[in-house]
Amino acid sequence: MRPMTSPLLLSPSPCRLLRRLFSRAPRRRNPTTPRPLAPHLGRRLPLHLPASMSYSSVGTPDCVVADADALARKVAAIRAAGLAKLQVIADFDGTLTRYWYDGSRGQSSHGLLRQGNEEFDAKREALFEHYHPIEINPDIPLPEKAKLMEEWWGKTHGLLIEGGLTQEAIKKSVADAAIAFRDGVVELFEFLEARDIPVLVFSAGLADIIEEVFRQKLHRSFKNIKIVSNRMVFNEEGCLVAFKAPVHDSLGDPNGSVDDYSLVKKRTNVLLLGDHIGDLGMSDGLNYENRIAAGFLNTNIEKSLKDYSEAFDIVYLNDASMRGVVELVSDLCP
């Protein structure tokens, strides 16, 4: 990110987010004093905030903002630049979708697949049991974790081809899946679509599955949403035969249309949504001027909160809804 050479002045009529951040002095909390969060799966989770961290509530979900001044400057800069400069980059699994589903861990776009072949389904489940704990372990360095995740996806893709995955199996898998979008996602997408703000959905999963989740769970598509992910290649019989990487100069959306990626690159203000610190890499390669990173911390809250608060501008806790992001986006749009 380019360093700011001079402080930005706030508007005389501050937006809702800024009013909430500055209407009262940040509350310092004793790190030995637990603060209960909202109910989660029928119980309340204690949270110990470091003494230097403020606790704010923006919109419906609870959230943590470690540096309110820095966030306010970014909001003011993005508002001043206007809608034509803004784009949204979002992870899919655990960010747009809920982490918990009916009291249990929800499925990912990769994990929901059922090939109709018990042997290969069991093999992929065994891979999940081995690699998923690595994925959510905050103690494993990101470069090491990234290599292990690539290893996981490579093995999984091989099993999908060998096990004879079909297009019909994808549709049935999504219909039976324990996966759901966060409350407020449709509201967010509608708000952005009405203002022609593009949304790039990045995923290490598979675009074909993500698009099917959009079709079945939202029952609609959005002209401003592009899926940037690996895609499947099927033969004439509808059987999976290969995978292909996303093409970055043209991005397909759920409607099958194509947009010029160069138009997106001209949008130099970014709102990034993710649920892992590694998701911050989704904006790598963009010559952005301002980036607000919003993180969803769904699990391991006490252990991971400090790292998340240092990495993200704002952290939504406890598998929060998307309504806080809706309010944030409305503050970014003059």
Side-chain angles (χ1 to χ4, degrees):
M1 183 181 300
R2 301 172 184 171
M4 292 186 179
T5 56
S6 61
L8 289 164
L9 298 178
L10 301 183
S11 166
S13 301
C15 59
R16 286 173 294 172
L17 174 63
L18 303 187
R19 285 202 303 269
R20 294 190 183 201
L21 290 176
F22 290 102
S23 61
R24 62 186 185 276
R27 289 175 286 176
R28 305 296 187 185
R29 295 197 176 273
N30 187 326
T32 63
T33 302
R35 183 200 190 281
L37 291 180
H40 176 66
L41 297 182
R43 65 189 188 278
R44 299 177 72 82
L45 299 178
L47 176 65
H48 302 267
L49 291 181
S52 61
M53 191 177 299
S54 65
Y55 186 92
S56 300
S57 181
V58 180
T60 301
D62 283 341
C63 66
V64 170
V65 178
D67 190 339
D69 291 320
L71 177 58
R73 287 194 297 270
K74 291 181 181 182
V75 170
I78 293 175
R79 282 175 62 86
L83 300 180
K85 289 287 189 177
L86 179 61
Q87 64 173 299
V88 176
I89 298 175
D91 171 57
F92 184 74
D93 291 308
T95 299
L96 296 180
T97 62
R98 301 202 313 249
Y99 187 84
W100 298 102
Y101 184 95
D102 286 346
S104 300
R105 174 69 172 94
Q107 292 178 306
S108 68
S109 56
H110 241 308
L112 64 82
L113 270 180
R114 294 294 177 266
Q115 296 172 246
N117 184 316
E118 292 185 3
E119 176 188 355
F120 285 91
D121 284 343
K123 288 180 178 180
R124 288 189 298 106
E125 183 64 26
L127 289 177
F128 176 85
E129 295 296 332
H130 174 73
Y131 285 102
H132 180 63
I134 298 172
E135 180 184 22
I136 64 175
N137 188 336
D139 296 326
I140 298 177
L142 288 178
E144 179 183 347
K145 183 180 291 189
K147 291 180 181 179
L148 291 169
M149 294 302 98
E150 289 179 10
E151 180 180 284
W152 181 12
W153 303 325
K155 292 178 179 179
T156 298
H157 289 177
L159 290 173
L160 291 174
I161 294 174
E162 188 180 355
L165 180 69
T166 65
Q167 291 172 314
E168 286 303 313
I170 292 175
K171 294 178 182 178
K172 186 177 187 307
S173 295
V174 172
D176 297 338
I179 190 170
F181 286 92
R182 294 182 188 273
D183 292 341
V185 162
V186 171
E187 184 181 352
L188 175 65
F189 289 163
E190 289 176 343
F191 183 95
L192 296 170
E193 182 182 47
R195 290 156 181 81
D196 293 322
I197 298 173
V199 180
L200 300 184
V201 178
F202 282 76
S203 177
L206 296 164
D208 309 75
I209 301 171
I210 293 170
E211 290 167 359
E212 189 64 31
V213 174
F214 268 83
R215 279 189 287 268
Q216 293 195 30
K217 306 303 181 181
L218 296 186
H219 307 291
R220 60 164 298 180
S221 59
F222 298 86
K223 67 179 185 294
N224 61 321
I225 295 179
K226 316 298 173 188
I227 310 297
V228 185
S229 184
N230 294 318
R231 288 187 175 272
M232 297 177 174
V233 178
F234 295 91
N235 61 19
E236 293 180 356
E237 287 73 38
C239 294
L240 177 66
V241 295
F243 294 88
K244 61 180 179 181
V247 180
H248 290 287
D249 57 354
S250 61
L251 305 173
D253 69 8
N255 288 323
S257 63
V258 174
D259 249 14
D260 186 357
Y261 187 51
S262 63
L263 296 178
V264 177
K265 292 181 71 174
K266 293 178 181 178
R267 292 177 176 261
T268 53
N269 290 326
V270 176
L271 172 61
L272 184 147
L273 309 176
D275 70 313
H276 292 289
I277 293 175
D279 290 337
L280 296 172
M282 294 187 297
S283 60
D284 288 353
L286 289 178
N287 187 26
Y288 59 82
E289 296 178 5
N290 301 283
R291 183 189 72 179
I292 294 177
F296 286 85
L297 181 49
N298 299 312
T299 188
N300 292 327
I301 293 175
E302 283 201 29
K303 191 170 186 179
S304 301
L305 180 57
K306 183 177 184 295
D307 290 338
Y308 270 63
S309 297
E310 291 173 353
F312 292 95
D313 297 289
I314 184 167
V315 181
Y316 296 100
L317 305 174
N318 219 32
D319 204 18
S321 79
M322 194 62 71
R323 303 198 188 282
V325 176
V326 173
E327 184 170 340
L328 174 60
V329 168
S330 68
D331 290 338
L332 297 176
C333 300

